[in-house]
Amino acid sequence: MPVVAAIPKPNAPVELREVAEPELENDSALLRVDLSEVCGTDVYLQQGKLANVPYPLVPGHVSVGTLEKIRGTVSDINGNNFREGDRVTFLDVHRTCNACWYCLVAKTTTRCPHRKVYGITYGLDDGLCGGWASHVYLKPGTRVINLEADKETFMSGGCALPTSVHAVERADIKLGYTVLVLGSGPVGINSIILSLMRGALQVLCIGAPETRLAAAKKVGASDILNFETHAEQQRLEWVLSQTAGRGADVTIEATGAAEAVVQAMRFTRDAGIVVIVGQYTDHGPTTFNPHLDLNKKHLDVRGCWGSDFSHFYRAAQIVSNEKRCSPWREIEVKKFGLGDANEALAEVADGRVLKALIDPRQ
Ligand SMILES: [Zn+2]
Ligand SMILES: [Zn+2]
């Protein structure tokens, strides 16, 4: 019988439950989970900080596994049919409708009101829909990708990788740019790697704690600064001193702190671009001076919400490429069994571990 690690309700500890094996609908599959992940969003889910989440919830939105059973046909983007035994990953976003105003007119499927997300807006009542489990039920229409990458290397990027592909795409980085990344969590680290791939000359990173800053350095940040020991003015001076007094060409905010949004604007040069990706959860309001911080600077501030299939697909391709995957091999992961999910959440919440993975067979 499949086993899941579920959050019964907000602020309650994760508990193990046995769930009946689902009856497979036509063109669906049962995935045996090899690895899933624990990210900052899961911490907020446990704390009840996200709206419209159906508890009890099985977290784990990005996972790698082996197709154990297929009923009917499940095929990839190239039209190849999957077979039982294939190692795959899947896009956590399901049921993007391709029929609403956001999908068809705005062409922003991440804002489609019909989309559901495995491990976030699909609860346990919807079936085996989260990766903290022995099995996940891949409902009809789930976008499945054959995974050639080493599973641990792919999962070291986890959900932060497609999120960062989207953020870097929004950032419009040009060859030779100086990019500033605020935050040294998984999204910050992945944004450093991808900014360099996109052609940045140097990537600066302001974050904490020291272990995460060391990880930023390891994947290619040219310089790092600990925000816990440097006040805002010192951080600004540090950025200006490395950019001929102008500020970064592009700043990617990946912090989860509202005040960092304003700092991102202040640390960016006039006519630069700021991408806000670290406010997926509601971290409250902040204030800024519209004249000094925005209008006079002729700044372009862009929000970046979630990711779509194109980001996820390209993320999987990059990590599957022998020559491109090396930075992700530098990211340290720590594996936890299903029964240790509470400990994993605590370590992620405290920033003690950069990337925590769930190994259901551990
Ligand atoms: Zn839609
Ligand atoms: Zn996540």
Side-chain angles (χ1 to χ4, degrees), residues 219-256:
V219 300
S222 51
D223 210 347
I224 50 174
L225 190 77
N226 191 324
F227 77 87
E228 290 175 333
T229 51
H230 294 82
E232 183 182 337
Q233 186 58 29
Q234 289 173 295
R235 293 175 226 163
L236 174 64
E237 281 162 17
W238 179 78
V239 175
L240 295 179
S241 72
Q242 308 209 46
T243 53
R246 284 188 289 266
D249 296 301
V250 162
T251 300
I252 298 173
E253 180 279 325
T255 66

mmCIF file of all heavy atoms in Angstrom, residues 219-256:
data_model
loop_
_atom_site.group_PDB
_atom_site.id
_atom_site.type_symbol
_atom_site.label_atom_id
_atom_site.label_comp_id
_atom_site.label_asym_id
_atom_site.label_seq_id
_atom_site.Cartn_x
_atom_site.Cartn_y
_atom_site.Cartn_z
ATOM 1 N N VAL A 219 29.485 27.992 -6.999
ATOM 2 C CA VAL A 219 28.834 27.875 -8.312
ATOM 3 C C VAL A 219 29.152 29.060 -9.224
ATOM 4 O O VAL A 219 28.637 29.137 -10.334
ATOM 5 C CB VAL A 219 27.298 27.698 -8.206
ATOM 6 C CG1 VAL A 219 26.956 26.433 -7.425
ATOM 7 C CG2 VAL A 219 26.638 28.919 -7.582
ATOM 8 N N GLY A 220 29.989 30.000 -8.757
ATOM 9 C CA GLY A 220 30.471 31.020 -9.689
ATOM 10 C C GLY A 220 30.261 32.472 -9.323
ATOM 11 O O GLY A 220 30.632 33.355 -10.100
ATOM 12 N N ALA A 221 29.665 32.773 -8.163
ATOM 13 C CA ALA A 221 29.521 34.183 -7.775
ATOM 14 C C ALA A 221 30.922 34.794 -7.665
ATOM 15 O O ALA A 221 31.815 34.185 -7.076
ATOM 16 C CB ALA A 221 28.785 34.297 -6.446
ATOM 17 N N SER A 222 31.105 35.994 -8.230
ATOM 18 C CA SER A 222 32.443 36.590 -8.198
ATOM 19 C C SER A 222 32.729 37.198 -6.829
ATOM 20 O O SER A 222 33.875 37.268 -6.408
ATOM 21 C CB SER A 222 32.605 37.634 -9.298
ATOM 22 O OG SER A 222 31.536 38.541 -9.245
ATOM 23 N N ASP A 223 31.680 37.652 -6.139
ATOM 24 C CA ASP A 223 31.882 38.181 -4.792
ATOM 25 C C ASP A 223 30.591 38.014 -3.988
ATOM 26 O O ASP A 223 29.501 38.002 -4.552
ATOM 27 C CB ASP A 223 32.293 39.662 -4.843
ATOM 28 C CG ASP A 223 33.179 40.048 -3.659
ATOM 29 O OD1 ASP A 223 33.273 39.252 -2.697
ATOM 30 O OD2 ASP A 223 33.750 41.149 -3.680
ATOM 31 N N ILE A 224 30.739 37.895 -2.671
ATOM 32 C CA ILE A 224 29.591 37.646 -1.798
ATOM 33 C C ILE A 224 29.626 38.596 -0.610
ATOM 34 O O ILE A 224 30.695 39.080 -0.223
ATOM 35 C CB ILE A 224 29.609 36.177 -1.271
ATOM 36 C CG1 ILE A 224 30.992 35.843 -0.699
ATOM 37 C CG2 ILE A 224 29.200 35.187 -2.341
ATOM 38 C CD1 ILE A 224 31.099 34.511 -0.021
ATOM 39 N N LEU A 225 28.458 38.864 -0.042
ATOM 40 C CA LEU A 225 28.380 39.721 1.144
ATOM 41 C C LEU A 225 27.285 39.188 2.068
ATOM 42 O O LEU A 225 26.191 38.851 1.612
ATOM 43 C CB LEU A 225 28.059 41.163 0.737
ATOM 44 C CG LEU A 225 28.180 42.201 1.858
ATOM 45 C CD1 LEU A 225 29.651 42.541 2.127
ATOM 46 C CD2 LEU A 225 27.430 43.483 1.495
ATOM 47 N N ASN A 226 27.601 39.145 3.362
ATOM 48 C CA ASN A 226 26.636 38.645 4.346
ATOM 49 C C ASN A 226 25.753 39.799 4.824
ATOM 50 O O ASN A 226 26.239 40.766 5.400
ATOM 51 C CB ASN A 226 27.389 38.013 5.526
ATOM 52 C CG ASN A 226 26.463 37.253 6.445
ATOM 53 O OD1 ASN A 226 25.317 37.655 6.672
ATOM 54 N ND2 ASN A 226 26.947 36.142 6.985
ATOM 55 N N PHE A 227 24.427 39.706 4.563
ATOM 56 C CA PHE A 227 23.551 40.824 4.941
ATOM 57 C C PHE A 227 23.348 40.910 6.449
ATOM 58 O O PHE A 227 22.971 41.949 6.984
ATOM 59 C CB PHE A 227 22.204 40.748 4.194
ATOM 60 C CG PHE A 227 21.235 39.727 4.727
ATOM 61 C CD1 PHE A 227 20.369 40.044 5.764
ATOM 62 C CD2 PHE A 227 21.178 38.448 4.185
ATOM 63 C CE1 PHE A 227 19.470 39.111 6.261
ATOM 64 C CE2 PHE A 227 20.280 37.505 4.669
ATOM 65 C CZ PHE A 227 19.424 37.838 5.708
ATOM 66 N N GLU A 228 23.608 39.806 7.150
ATOM 67 C CA GLU A 228 23.416 39.819 8.599
ATOM 68 C C GLU A 228 24.463 40.684 9.307
ATOM 69 O O GLU A 228 24.228 41.173 10.401
ATOM 70 C CB GLU A 228 23.454 38.387 9.153
ATOM 71 C CG GLU A 228 22.217 37.587 8.739
ATOM 72 C CD GLU A 228 22.265 36.118 9.160
ATOM 73 O OE1 GLU A 228 23.372 35.559 9.310
ATOM 74 O OE2 GLU A 228 21.185 35.532 9.295
ATOM 75 N N THR A 229 25.607 40.852 8.654
ATOM 76 C CA THR A 229 26.672 41.637 9.283
ATOM 77 C C THR A 229 26.923 42.966 8.571
ATOM 78 O O THR A 229 27.869 43.678 8.894
ATOM 79 C CB THR A 229 27.975 40.815 9.324
ATOM 80 O OG1 THR A 229 28.238 40.305 8.004
ATOM 81 C CG2 THR A 229 27.865 39.644 10.279
ATOM 82 N N HIS A 230 26.090 43.281 7.562
ATOM 83 C CA HIS A 230 26.246 44.548 6.840
ATOM 84 C C HIS A 230 24.891 45.238 6.711
ATOM 85 O O HIS A 230 23.947 44.641 6.179
ATOM 86 C CB HIS A 230 26.842 44.306 5.452
ATOM 87 C CG HIS A 230 28.249 43.781 5.494
ATOM 88 N ND1 HIS A 230 28.530 42.441 5.694
ATOM 89 C CD2 HIS A 230 29.446 44.413 5.401
ATOM 90 C CE1 HIS A 230 29.835 42.273 5.715
ATOM 91 N NE2 HIS A 230 30.430 43.445 5.546
ATOM 92 N N ALA A 231 24.819 46.478 7.174
ATOM 93 C CA ALA A 231 23.572 47.245 7.092
ATOM 94 C C ALA A 231 23.297 47.632 5.646
ATOM 95 O O ALA A 231 24.169 47.508 4.786
ATOM 96 C CB ALA A 231 23.682 48.492 7.963
ATOM 97 N N GLU A 232 22.071 48.121 5.392
ATOM 98 C CA GLU A 232 21.674 48.422 4.009
ATOM 99 C C GLU A 232 22.653 49.374 3.317
ATOM 100 O O GLU A 232 23.018 49.173 2.158
ATOM 101 C CB GLU A 232 20.250 48.994 3.978
ATOM 102 C CG GLU A 232 19.790 49.232 2.548
ATOM 103 C CD GLU A 232 18.406 49.841 2.429
ATOM 104 O OE1 GLU A 232 17.600 49.707 3.366
ATOM 105 O OE2 GLU A 232 18.133 50.447 1.375
ATOM 106 N N GLN A 233 23.083 50.419 4.026
ATOM 107 C CA GLN A 233 23.995 51.393 3.431
ATOM 108 C C GLN A 233 25.332 50.747 3.036
ATOM 109 O O GLN A 233 25.877 51.029 1.967
ATOM 110 C CB GLN A 233 24.220 52.553 4.418
ATOM 111 C CG GLN A 233 25.030 53.718 3.865
ATOM 112 C CD GLN A 233 24.403 54.348 2.614
ATOM 113 O OE1 GLN A 233 23.179 54.329 2.424
ATOM 114 N NE2 GLN A 233 25.246 54.887 1.735
ATOM 115 N N GLN A 234 25.805 49.841 3.890
ATOM 116 C CA GLN A 234 27.065 49.144 3.585
ATOM 117 C C GLN A 234 26.910 48.237 2.366
ATOM 118 O O GLN A 234 27.817 48.129 1.546
ATOM 119 C CB GLN A 234 27.505 48.295 4.784
ATOM 120 C CG GLN A 234 27.988 49.106 5.968
ATOM 121 C CD GLN A 234 28.241 48.201 7.166
ATOM 122 O OE1 GLN A 234 27.320 47.592 7.697
ATOM 123 N NE2 GLN A 234 29.489 48.100 7.583
ATOM 124 N N ARG A 235 25.733 47.628 2.265
ATOM 125 C CA ARG A 235 25.480 46.755 1.111
ATOM 126 C C ARG A 235 25.465 47.580 -0.174
ATOM 127 O O ARG A 235 26.037 47.193 -1.189
ATOM 128 C CB ARG A 235 24.133 46.043 1.270
ATOM 129 C CG ARG A 235 24.100 45.039 2.406
ATOM 130 C CD ARG A 235 22.709 44.456 2.575
ATOM 131 N NE ARG A 235 22.331 44.437 3.977
ATOM 132 C CZ ARG A 235 21.094 44.304 4.435
ATOM 133 N NH1 ARG A 235 20.086 44.188 3.604
ATOM 134 N NH2 ARG A 235 20.846 44.293 5.727
ATOM 135 N N LEU A 236 24.803 48.752 -0.091
ATOM 136 C CA LEU A 236 24.733 49.636 -1.263
ATOM 137 C C LEU A 236 26.137 50.052 -1.689
ATOM 138 O O LEU A 236 26.496 49.989 -2.880
ATOM 139 C CB LEU A 236 23.881 50.865 -0.927
ATOM 140 C CG LEU A 236 23.821 51.953 -2.003
ATOM 141 C CD1 LEU A 236 23.140 51.427 -3.266
ATOM 142 C CD2 LEU A 236 23.057 53.186 -1.491
ATOM 143 N N GLU A 237 26.944 50.455 -0.724
ATOM 144 C CA GLU A 237 28.316 50.896 -1.040
ATOM 145 C C GLU A 237 29.124 49.759 -1.657
ATOM 146 O O GLU A 237 29.924 49.972 -2.571
ATOM 147 C CB GLU A 237 28.998 51.429 0.225
ATOM 148 C CG GLU A 237 28.541 52.856 0.549
ATOM 149 C CD GLU A 237 28.838 53.283 1.985
ATOM 150 O OE1 GLU A 237 29.668 52.615 2.636
ATOM 151 O OE2 GLU A 237 28.221 54.261 2.444
ATOM 152 N N TRP A 238 28.904 48.551 -1.157
ATOM 153 C CA TRP A 238 29.609 47.370 -1.680
ATOM 154 C C TRP A 238 29.251 47.153 -3.156
ATOM 155 O O TRP A 238 30.125 46.904 -3.989
ATOM 156 C CB TRP A 238 29.237 46.155 -0.831
ATOM 157 C CG TRP A 238 29.850 44.859 -1.246
ATOM 158 C CD1 TRP A 238 31.135 44.444 -1.010
ATOM 159 C CD2 TRP A 238 29.214 43.780 -1.951
ATOM 160 N NE1 TRP A 238 31.327 43.184 -1.518
ATOM 161 C CE2 TRP A 238 30.168 42.750 -2.099
ATOM 162 C CE3 TRP A 238 27.932 43.580 -2.470
ATOM 163 C CZ2 TRP A 238 29.870 41.545 -2.748
ATOM 164 C CZ3 TRP A 238 27.638 42.388 -3.105
ATOM 165 C CH2 TRP A 238 28.603 41.388 -3.242
ATOM 166 N N VAL A 239 27.969 47.286 -3.472
ATOM 167 C CA VAL A 239 27.531 47.088 -4.868
ATOM 168 C C VAL A 239 28.101 48.212 -5.744
ATOM 169 O O VAL A 239 28.651 47.957 -6.823
ATOM 170 C CB VAL A 239 25.984 47.049 -4.975
ATOM 171 C CG1 VAL A 239 25.550 46.978 -6.430
ATOM 172 C CG2 VAL A 239 25.421 45.861 -4.196
ATOM 173 N N LEU A 240 27.995 49.455 -5.256
ATOM 174 C CA LEU A 240 28.480 50.592 -6.055
ATOM 175 C C LEU A 240 29.976 50.494 -6.313
ATOM 176 O O LEU A 240 30.451 50.825 -7.408
ATOM 177 C CB LEU A 240 28.153 51.914 -5.343
ATOM 178 C CG LEU A 240 26.661 52.247 -5.191
ATOM 179 C CD1 LEU A 240 26.476 53.568 -4.452
ATOM 180 C CD2 LEU A 240 25.955 52.291 -6.551
ATOM 181 N N SER A 241 30.718 50.005 -5.311
ATOM 182 C CA SER A 241 32.176 49.925 -5.458
ATOM 183 C C SER A 241 32.577 48.924 -6.539
ATOM 184 O O SER A 241 33.685 48.981 -7.069
ATOM 185 C CB SER A 241 32.821 49.531 -4.118
ATOM 186 O OG SER A 241 32.556 48.164 -3.844
ATOM 187 N N GLN A 242 31.690 48.024 -6.905
ATOM 188 C CA GLN A 242 32.027 47.012 -7.912
ATOM 189 C C GLN A 242 31.397 47.300 -9.264
ATOM 190 O O GLN A 242 31.508 46.493 -10.193
ATOM 191 C CB GLN A 242 31.559 45.640 -7.418
ATOM 192 C CG GLN A 242 32.070 45.351 -6.022
ATOM 193 C CD GLN A 242 32.250 43.872 -5.786
ATOM 194 O OE1 GLN A 242 32.804 43.172 -6.611
ATOM 195 N NE2 GLN A 242 31.796 43.406 -4.657
ATOM 196 N N THR A 243 30.699 48.462 -9.354
ATOM 197 C CA THR A 243 29.991 48.758 -10.595
ATOM 198 C C THR A 243 30.237 50.212 -11.029
ATOM 199 O O THR A 243 29.336 50.857 -11.562
ATOM 200 C CB THR A 243 28.470 48.514 -10.417
ATOM 201 O OG1 THR A 243 28.030 49.253 -9.261
ATOM 202 C CG2 THR A 243 28.146 47.049 -10.208
ATOM 203 N N ALA A 244 31.441 50.706 -10.786
ATOM 204 C CA ALA A 244 31.825 52.068 -11.151
ATOM 205 C C ALA A 244 30.842 53.103 -10.614
ATOM 206 O O ALA A 244 30.576 54.127 -11.260
ATOM 207 C CB ALA A 244 31.962 52.183 -12.682
ATOM 208 N N GLY A 245 30.266 52.803 -9.449
ATOM 209 C CA GLY A 245 29.377 53.764 -8.791
ATOM 210 C C GLY A 245 27.965 53.790 -9.326
ATOM 211 O O GLY A 245 27.158 54.631 -8.922
ATOM 212 N N ARG A 246 27.640 52.885 -10.264
ATOM 213 C CA ARG A 246 26.311 52.956 -10.893
ATOM 214 C C ARG A 246 25.276 52.015 -10.301
ATOM 215 O O ARG A 246 24.089 52.296 -10.315
ATOM 216 C CB ARG A 246 26.444 52.663 -12.397
ATOM 217 C CG ARG A 246 27.020 53.814 -13.199
ATOM 218 C CD ARG A 246 26.936 53.532 -14.687
ATOM 219 N NE ARG A 246 27.869 52.490 -15.083
ATOM 220 C CZ ARG A 246 29.098 52.723 -15.545
ATOM 221 N NH1 ARG A 246 29.536 53.957 -15.667
ATOM 222 N NH2 ARG A 246 29.887 51.735 -15.890
ATOM 223 N N GLY A 247 25.697 50.836 -9.856
ATOM 224 C CA GLY A 247 24.749 49.801 -9.435
ATOM 225 C C GLY A 247 24.696 48.691 -10.472
ATOM 226 O O GLY A 247 25.220 48.830 -11.581
ATOM 227 N N ALA A 248 24.049 47.583 -10.109
ATOM 228 C CA ALA A 248 23.996 46.414 -10.990
ATOM 229 C C ALA A 248 23.134 46.690 -12.220
ATOM 230 O O ALA A 248 22.173 47.454 -12.154
ATOM 231 C CB ALA A 248 23.440 45.221 -10.226
ATOM 232 N N ASP A 249 23.487 46.074 -13.344
ATOM 233 C CA ASP A 249 22.653 46.192 -14.550
ATOM 234 C C ASP A 249 21.302 45.525 -14.309
ATOM 235 O O ASP A 249 20.269 46.018 -14.737
ATOM 236 C CB ASP A 249 23.346 45.507 -15.740
ATOM 237 C CG ASP A 249 24.645 46.185 -16.120
ATOM 238 O OD1 ASP A 249 24.595 47.389 -16.449
ATOM 239 O OD2 ASP A 249 25.703 45.530 -16.068
ATOM 240 N N VAL A 250 21.375 44.374 -13.646
ATOM 241 C CA VAL A 250 20.170 43.588 -13.356
ATOM 242 C C VAL A 250 20.262 43.098 -11.923
ATOM 243 O O VAL A 250 21.330 42.664 -11.484
ATOM 244 C CB VAL A 250 20.069 42.373 -14.307
ATOM 245 C CG1 VAL A 250 19.115 41.326 -13.757
ATOM 246 C CG2 VAL A 250 19.644 42.788 -15.707
ATOM 247 N N THR A 251 19.166 43.168 -11.181
ATOM 248 C CA THR A 251 19.121 42.558 -9.853
ATOM 249 C C THR A 251 17.985 41.554 -9.801
ATOM 250 O O THR A 251 16.861 41.846 -10.239
ATOM 251 C CB THR A 251 18.920 43.628 -8.758
ATOM 252 O OG1 THR A 251 20.023 44.543 -8.813
ATOM 253 C CG2 THR A 251 18.872 42.995 -7.362
ATOM 254 N N ILE A 252 18.299 40.366 -9.302
ATOM 255 C CA ILE A 252 17.279 39.333 -9.107
ATOM 256 C C ILE A 252 17.056 39.181 -7.604
ATOM 257 O O ILE A 252 17.980 38.830 -6.871
ATOM 258 C CB ILE A 252 17.718 37.994 -9.743
ATOM 259 C CG1 ILE A 252 17.883 38.166 -11.260
ATOM 260 C CG2 ILE A 252 16.706 36.885 -9.419
ATOM 261 C CD1 ILE A 252 18.462 36.959 -11.974
ATOM 262 N N GLU A 253 15.847 39.486 -7.159
ATOM 263 C CA GLU A 253 15.505 39.387 -5.730
ATOM 264 C C GLU A 253 14.946 37.994 -5.463
ATOM 265 O O GLU A 253 13.932 37.601 -6.033
ATOM 266 C CB GLU A 253 14.470 40.465 -5.372
ATOM 267 C CG GLU A 253 14.025 40.471 -3.924
ATOM 268 C CD GLU A 253 12.964 39.432 -3.602
ATOM 269 O OE1 GLU A 253 12.098 39.159 -4.457
ATOM 270 O OE2 GLU A 253 13.011 38.868 -2.498
ATOM 271 N N ALA A 254 15.624 37.238 -4.594
ATOM 272 C CA ALA A 254 15.211 35.865 -4.283
ATOM 273 C C ALA A 254 15.359 35.622 -2.785
ATOM 274 O O ALA A 254 16.008 34.679 -2.353
ATOM 275 C CB ALA A 254 16.063 34.873 -5.078
ATOM 276 N N THR A 255 14.732 36.498 -1.988
ATOM 277 C CA THR A 255 15.015 36.482 -0.553
ATOM 278 C C THR A 255 13.882 35.984 0.346
ATOM 279 O O THR A 255 14.141 35.368 1.370
ATOM 280 C CB THR A 255 15.335 37.906 -0.057
ATOM 281 O OG1 THR A 255 14.161 38.710 -0.191
ATOM 282 C CG2 THR A 255 16.475 38.522 -0.836
ATOM 283 N N GLY A 256 12.641 36.314 0.004
ATOM 284 C CA GLY A 256 11.554 36.027 0.938
ATOM 285 C C GLY A 256 11.449 37.067 2.040
ATOM 286 O O GLY A 256 10.887 36.802 3.090
#
